[in-house]
Amino acid sequence: MMQQSHIPVMLGEVLDVFSSNLKPLSSFVDCTLGAAGHASAVSFFLLVVAVLCVFMNMIFYTTVELSCITENGCACGCCCSQIIQSHPELKLFIGMDVDPLALRMARSRINAAISHSHPHPNFQALTFVKNFRHIRSLLTQVDHISSGVDGILMDLGMSSMQVNNPARGFSVLANGPLDMRMDPQASLKAEDILNSWPDSEVGRILRDYGEERNWRLLQNKLAQARLQGGLHSTGELVDVIRSTTPGTKGGRQGWIKTATRVFQALRIAVNDELKTLEDSPHACFDCLAPEGRLAVISFHSLEDRIVKQVFLKIIGEEGRDSVRKIKGGEDEKELWIRQTIQGSNGTILTKRPITPSEKEEGFNRRRRSAKLRVIQKL
């Protein structure tokens, strides 16, 4: 049960982005709902309590987390305040996720959270098994949002319940099938890439998506494994990776870092993540109402680089030089805004991305690479 729990990344920062805006939040879309970590987020009060507990050596934080574990294994609506509860003016909440299991868990959490809150009389919560690349077509089917939505969140990370489930094939440390599909209905698996794709293409994936320096050596080792019956489990893949990492080089951490990069590369290829990320912010921005905000949380340099470049393209069709008008935050209610980049049809509110606090990194090292970027439509 503990392995299935999921605490949302940069929760306080996300709440700030959508709570401090002067525009009322009447409609909101979570493009990567997962287990509803941000949708059923703890309130500002509970967040302060959690931070204080972390500061006090996490003595009480563990107690708070344990008390919020349900039979489903995830933190539930008993944490009370959510994005939904934080905005009584909210009339429409839409959650999307390509993972049906995560969406089922999210629905139960959202329902539990609503039962503890006092939403708008006309409030609706809708969830869809959809990839966020389809947000534009999906929203055309929803009533009462012809003028656009007020807030959109994209959290590009995997939840702990996905990473810690060996059957999904995402974990470096737990043996399981070479799957790595975010959408269980998709046809392509990591096993197919490793055993069927050309050697040169496998090497390119390791180089471009994993940013792995020893990609040539790994490519050759994987080709040899293919001749010996192929690779069919994450454990077999890890064994190949370990054989390419000298025992004296970084020890256990050395091969784990290499394996993490290889698994990342394969996961990106299986799910076509970077191409989806290049297209989706444009679609999300088009779906925003005037003064609406899009927030994107990324977890590695490839993702963050794409988000940064796409945001610049969105606000300035005439080219990057035409949008380099930078100013500091002026609204005392939005102290998280340091420098902005003004464009012809929108404003990047984070010239530099927001990163997790040292306290947050302290209780979950998976979050240390997270970056939050925000753009607002004019």
Side-chain angles (χ1 to χ4, degrees):
M1 287 174 60
M2 281 298 296
Q3 288 183 338
Q4 294 293 329
S5 63
H6 174 67
I7 304 171
V9 176
M10 289 197 284
L11 175 59
E13 290 83 350
V14 169
L15 291 177
D16 280 345
V17 166
F18 294 108
S19 296
S20 59
N21 190 14
L22 298 178
K23 180 181 177 63
L25 195 72
S26 62
S27 54
F28 184 85
V29 179
D30 190 332
C31 288
T32 44
L33 190 57
H38 290 100
S40 53
V42 294
S43 65
F44 177 74
F45 171 76
L46 189 54
L47 181 66
V48 171
V49 172
V51 170
L52 287 174
C53 293
V54 172
F55 182 75
M56 297 172 66
N57 296 320
M58 297 173 61
I59 294 174
F60 300 108
Y61 180 80
T62 305
T63 305
V64 171
E65 182 184 3
L66 285 171
S67 69
C68 294
I69 300 296
T70 68
E71 64 276 7
N72 290 325
C74 62
C76 72
C78 65
C79 288
C80 294
S81 283
Q82 317 153 351
I83 281 182
I84 296 170
Q85 188 176 10
S86 299
H87 294 273
E89 77 279 16
L90 190 65
K91 298 179 182 178
L92 178 63
F93 175 88
I94 296 174
M96 305 170 60
D97 203 286
V98 74
D99 186 337
L101 175 59
L103 201 63
R104 285 198 296 271
M105 297 174 69
R107 285 168 180 157
S108 66
R109 293 179 65 182
I110 290 172
N111 290 335
I114 292 172
S115 67
H116 287 87
S117 64
H118 302 282
H120 191 279
N122 299 325
F123 176 77
Q124 279 187 299
L126 308 175
T127 56
F128 300 89
V129 182
K130 283 280 188 180
N131 189 298
F132 52 73
R133 70 172 71 184
H134 302 301
I135 184 173
R136 189 186 286 111
S137 61
L138 185 147
L139 292 184
T140 59
Q141 304 170 29
V142 179
D143 295 333
H144 310 304
I145 55 170
S146 57
S147 59
V149 295
D150 301 319
I152 300 177
L153 173 66
M154 296 171 62
D155 180 346
L156 304 178
M158 294 186 298
S159 70
S160 298
M161 68 177 185
Q162 291 171 321
V163 176
N164 295 333
N165 182 356
R168 303 299 297 272
F170 294 118
S171 175
V172 170
L173 300 177
N175 190 32
L178 279 168
D179 194 319
M180 302 192 191
R181 293 172 297 173
M182 299 298 291
D183 177 3
Q185 301 302 315
S187 58
L188 181 65
K189 302 178 182 179
E191 182 177 2
D192 301 324
I193 293 176
L194 290 171
N195 295 322
S196 304
W197 285 24
D199 295 348
S200 58
E201 184 65 8
V202 174
R204 184 194 68 80
I205 288 170
L206 299 178
R207 182 193 67 207
D208 295 349
Y209 297 165
E211 298 181 300
E212 173 55 44
R213 286 178 293 181
N214 293 326
W215 63 272
R216 287 187 186 276
L217 177 59
L218 279 166
Q219 174 186 319
N220 293 334
K221 288 284 189 179
L222 293 170
Q224 293 174 18
R226 188 180 293 183
L227 296 175
Q228 298 172 5
L231 296 167
H232 306 286
S233 71
T234 56
E236 292 173 349
L237 175 58
V238 167
D239 287 343
V240 172
I241 295 169
R242 294 182 70 173
S243 71
T244 67
T245 307
T248 57
K249 186 179 180 181
R252 184 172 185 265
Q253 287 301 314
W255 71 260
I256 286 181
K257 289 180 180 178
T258 301
T260 300
R261 290 190 289 267
V262 171
F263 276 56
Q264 170 186 298
L266 290 170
R267 192 200 76 227
I268 289 173
V270 167
N271 299 287
D272 195 21
E273 292 180 19
L274 298 189
K275 181 63 171 68
T276 299
L277 183 56
E278 289 173 359
D279 299 335
S280 299
H282 287 280
C284 288
F285 189 81
D286 289 344
C287 294
L288 288 175
E291 299 183 22
R293 290 180 175 178
L294 165 63
V296 182
I297 302 175
S298 62
F299 287 85
H300 55 77
S301 58
L302 290 174
E303 289 177 339
D304 182 60
R305 195 178 307 133
I306 290 174
V307 175
K308 177 182 177 180
Q309 293 170 350
V310 171
F311 275 13
L312 285 169
K313 290 179 182 178
I314 286 174
I315 67 169
E317 297 178 359
E318 298 177 0
R320 181 167 177 165
D321 291 340
S322 67
V323 300
R324 302 298 291 180
K325 301 174 183 177
I326 301 171
K327 65 177 182 178
E330 299 173 353
D331 192 335
E332 62 180 11
K333 294 182 179 179
E334 303 206 277
L335 297 178
W336 59 273
I337 300 178
R338 303 297 176 84
Q339 286 185 309
T340 65
I341 304 177
Q342 182 69 53
S344 58
N345 60 348
T347 304
I348 297 174
L349 301 180
T350 48
K351 178 180 182 287
R352 289 187 173 84
I354 301 170
T355 56
S357 66
E358 292 184 8
K359 291 184 178 67
E360 182 167 1
E361 289 185 20
F363 67 82
N364 190 339
R365 286 180 56 80
R366 284 179 183 166
R367 305 169 184 213
R368 65 187 182 278
S369 61
K371 291 181 174 61
L372 170 63
R373 293 185 183 272
V374 185
I375 189 171
Q376 178 170 302
K377 196 170 189 177
L378 292 182

